[in-house]
Each structure stands twice: as structure tokens, then as C-alpha cells.
Amino acid sequence: MREAEIRAAALEQFARRGYEATTMADIGAAVGMRGPSLYKHVSSKQDLLASVIEATMTTLLAEHDAAVSGVDELTERLRRAVDAHVRFHARHRREAFVGTRELRSLTEPRRSQILGLRAEYEQRFRTLVADGVEAGAFTVTDPQLASFALLDLGMGVAVWFREDSGPSENQVAWQQVEFALRLVGAIR
Amino acid sequence: MREAEIRAAALEQFARRGYEATTMADIGAAVGMRGPSLYKHVSSKQDLLASVIEATMTTLLAEHDAAVSGVDELTERLRRAVDAHVRFHARHRREAFVGTRELRSLTEPRRSQILGLRAEYEQRFRTLVADGVEAGAFTVTDPQLASFALLDLGMGVAVWFREDSGPSENQVAWQQVEFALRLVGAIR
């Protein structure tokens, strides 16, 4: 599909030189298309940015839901949610980078819409932590700060993880899960 | 001092529109200087970026050293190191943002030099964790992954902390210190 190819090129350009410094001509050149035919597929650079970040957020939400689906035990839910979060960030570093770095370049109404998706994702973790506290499985004073910390651990992975050196994805995921369980007081 | 003012303006512009999209004319306009007089003070945009990021790293290193200076007990050393790290990131969000986002825009030899400072800062935390493990104060399998996690917790604060809403700097710092101590197994 042509749109997917254009979106991939936009992601690459935004990650490399930043949204502001990227032109539609740069994106067109990367997929071998000039203005008129490019604009048959996408309406603006802003639309491309919004769709790139939105795709990241909807994928994260879907992977979270798949991870915890059918699992009732709260420590195991958290274990799987953190595992999915960390692995996504290890595998989609450019998406994570652009999602964080270029949020401020989004204009309304897409900006609010995407902030809504981010809030929804954070809320999933906050609820999980709060449920664990209520059930006596976790010891956390402030579920919001705990959910931020859990998310930050994964987002950090997107900054420093490398496939070709250092610890493997499995090592990182297992370790981060342990850190997460310790952080919420599930491991004493 | 004129240089400090120019550097502050550069930081502001880099944070707002990104390094690539900022011109020396933008920076000059922000301090009311045109090309020739601006270039009396700074030699290039690249130099400005390097000096902004370098200042961030040397400040972080100095604050870390001041925090742990004269403290032998390892849990207390970690407590203070995390406290300093978190508070710096709550107070210098733009510096943290530009430092992470624009690292890739740095050219050699400044890039390696600044990566060296970052490695030095990470090494301080890694050594602290390893010392704690050796002394039996902490339980950590991989001090490198633990130091990354500790640093990521603080850097996340730079993304979501707001002075005017949500938890206060103290609440955030105290909570992050507790998370850090849990993470290294200093609190069971």
C-alpha cells in the first residue's frame, strides 16, 4: 500500500532530521514521488505526523490489551503489561523517539486526540497498580507516580537499546519486569 | 555575560523548534543581535549546541559529586544521587529534552566528547550500585541495567513534570528515591 510506504518514509525523515526540518519534498524524494502524486495519498506533513504518532499509540494500546487479556492475577497482569511495553520500545525506537520529540509540533485537534490516547495508555497502568494495591498484592502510595515510573522505564529502553550490542531484548525485558515488580512492592 | 544570554536563547530555540530548523538568525533575533556581532561571541550553531549539552552534563556531574560527597553509607549515597538527578531533571526540562533529542545532530569531535561525559555520569551510578551489591546492601543482578533504569526514571520526570500542576517537586523526588531503593533491592 502506497500510504504505508509514505508513512514509513515520513517516520524515517522525522526521526533523522526532525519534523520542522523535514519537507514534503524530502518525504516524496524518499519514496520516489513528486508533489502532485504524493498529495493524492496524503494531505499534509501535519497529517503524516499525526498518523505516525497515532499508529504508535493504537499499537501500544492493542498490545497491552492482548498482553493482559484473560489474566486475572494482578502480579502476572503487570508482568505481561511491562513485558509488552518494554519489547515494543526495544523494537520501535524511532516511533518512540518521534512520538515523544515531536508531540509539541502537533496542532489541534489531533494533538488533543493523541494526548487522549497517551492518557488512556497511562490509565491502563495506573488502574492495574491501583487494583494491585487494593488487592494487597502491591504496596504503592501513589499509583499515578508508579504508572509514570513504569512507563518511563520502558521509554528509556527505546533510547539506549541496541540489537547488535549489549544485553539482548529478552535480558532487558526480564530485567525490566523484575524492576517493575520491585517498584510496585510486588517482590519483597 | 553576552555568551550566556546567547546560549540561553539557543537552548530556547532548540527546545522549541529543534536544532535543524533553528538558524543563527533566529538565535540572533532572540537576543537582538545581527550576524557580525553574533559571530564575535559564538562561532557556529554546532558550537552552541555542543556547549548547551556540555553545560548540562558537567552540571549533572558536579551536582552528583556534591550530593554523595562525604557520604559513605551506600543506601544514603544512592538516595542522594537519585534525589539530585530527579531534581535536576524537574528543574531543567528543556536542557534534558535538547540533550536527548539533539545528540544525533552533534558532529565529531564534540559528539564523542559529550557521549564520554554521559558515560561518566552513568558510570557513577553503575559503580554505586555495584558497590552496594558487593557490600550486601543491594540485590541487583546487572548493575548496568539498574543504572540505566535509575537514570531513565529521572529523565522521565523531565518529560511529564509540571511546576503548576500535579505532584510537587518534593513529592516527586521522595517517591522516585523510594522507587530507586526498591529497584536495587535496598528496601524489602
Side-chain angles (χ1 to χ4, degrees):
Chain A
M1 202 178 101
R2 216 65 171 113
E3 276 83 11
E5 198 191 331
I6 297 168
R7 208 152 69 187
L11 171 63
E12 166 73 28
Q13 297 291 317
F14 295 159
R16 184 128 56 100
R17 53 181 108 187
Y19 174 78
E20 290 296 343
T22 299
T23 65
M24 282 294 266
D26 294 330
I27 297 167
V31 291
M33 290 173 83
R34 289 177 164 241
S37 38
L38 186 62
Y39 283 101
K40 250 192 292 177
H41 297 279
V42 291
S43 67
S44 67
K45 192 174 72 155
Q46 178 65 216
D47 254 22
L48 272 173
L49 179 63
S51 76
V52 159
I53 304 185
E54 193 187 337
T56 302
M57 289 315 305
T58 52
T59 305
L60 266 172
L61 281 161
E63 296 202 349
H64 174 94
D65 292 345
V68 301
S69 160
V71 181
D72 290 330
E73 207 268 305
L74 291 159
T75 301
E76 185 59 20
R77 277 175 80 85
L78 186 63
R79 188 188 293 279
R80 294 193 189 189
V82 170
D83 190 79
H85 179 68
V86 167
R87 288 180 194 273
F88 179 90
H89 282 83
R91 290 177 197 177
H92 301 278
R93 300 201 299 275
R94 287 183 315 182
E95 283 86 340
F97 185 68
V98 169
T100 305
R101 174 172 88 162
E102 305 295 1
L103 247 191
R104 62 186 62 192
S105 293
L106 279 178
T107 56
E108 294 297 352
R110 303 297 289 271
R111 187 180 152 80
S112 292
Q113 183 196 335
I114 282 164
L115 287 174
L117 292 173
R118 289 173 71 100
E120 214 178 304
Y121 188 65
E122 192 264 311
Q123 186 64 53
R124 297 266 209 291
F125 280 86
R126 198 190 306 192
T127 303
L128 218 173
V129 172
D131 289 349
V133 171
E134 210 187 306
F138 308 155
T139 322
V140 168
T141 314
D142 186 332
Q144 183 184 14
L145 285 179
S147 70
F148 285 172
L150 295 174
L151 297 177
D152 290 342
L153 284 179
M155 292 193 288
V157 169
V159 176
W160 52 258
F161 181 74
R162 297 291 173 269
E163 288 94 359
D164 51 4
S165 65
S168 69
E169 182 188 302
N170 277 345
Q171 287 176 305
V172 170
W174 296 334
Q175 181 64 79
Q176 297 280 324
V177 165
E178 186 185 346
F179 287 154
L181 295 180
R182 285 180 168 195
L183 201 146
V184 300
I187 298 180
R188 316 271 163 115
Chain B
M1 202 177 103
R2 216 64 171 115
E3 275 83 12
E5 198 189 332
I6 297 167
R7 209 152 68 188
L11 171 63
E12 166 72 29
Q13 297 291 318
F14 295 159
R16 185 128 56 100
R17 53 180 108 190
Y19 175 77
E20 290 296 343
T22 299
T23 66
M24 282 294 267
D26 294 329
I27 297 167
V31 292
M33 290 173 82
R34 288 174 164 246
S37 37
L38 187 61
Y39 283 100
K40 250 192 292 177
H41 298 279
V42 291
S43 66
S44 67
K45 192 174 71 155
Q46 179 65 215
D47 254 23
L48 272 173
L49 178 63
S51 78
V52 159
I53 304 185
E54 194 187 335
T56 302
M57 288 316 305
T58 52
T59 305
L60 266 173
L61 281 161
E63 296 201 351
H64 175 93
D65 292 346
V68 301
S69 161
V71 181
D72 290 330
E73 207 268 305
L74 291 159
T75 302
E76 184 58 22
R77 277 176 80 86
L78 186 64
R79 187 188 293 279
R80 293 193 190 190
V82 170
D83 190 80
H85 179 67
V86 168
R87 288 180 194 272
F88 179 89
H89 283 82
R91 290 177 198 179
H92 301 278
R93 300 200 300 276
R94 287 183 316 181
E95 284 86 340
F97 185 69
V98 170
T100 305
R101 174 172 89 161
E102 305 295 2
L103 247 190
R104 62 186 61 193
S105 294
L106 279 179
T107 56
E108 295 297 352
R110 303 294 291 270
R111 187 179 153 81
S112 292
Q113 183 195 333
I114 282 164
L115 287 175
L117 291 173
R118 287 173 73 100
E120 214 178 303
Y121 188 63
E122 192 263 311
Q123 186 64 53
R124 298 266 209 290
F125 279 85
R126 198 189 306 193
T127 303
L128 220 173
V129 173
D131 289 350
V133 171
E134 210 187 306
F138 308 155
T139 322
V140 168
T141 314
D142 186 331
Q144 183 184 14
L145 285 179
S147 71
F148 285 171
L150 295 173
L151 297 177
D152 289 342
L153 283 179
M155 292 193 287
V157 170
V159 176
W160 51 259
F161 182 73
R162 297 290 174 268
E163 288 94 359
D164 52 3
S165 65
S168 69
E169 182 188 302
N170 277 345
Q171 287 175 303
V172 170
W174 296 333
Q175 182 62 80
Q176 297 281 323
V177 164
E178 187 185 345
F179 287 154
L181 295 180
R182 285 180 169 197
L183 201 145
V184 300
I187 298 179
R188 317 269 166 119

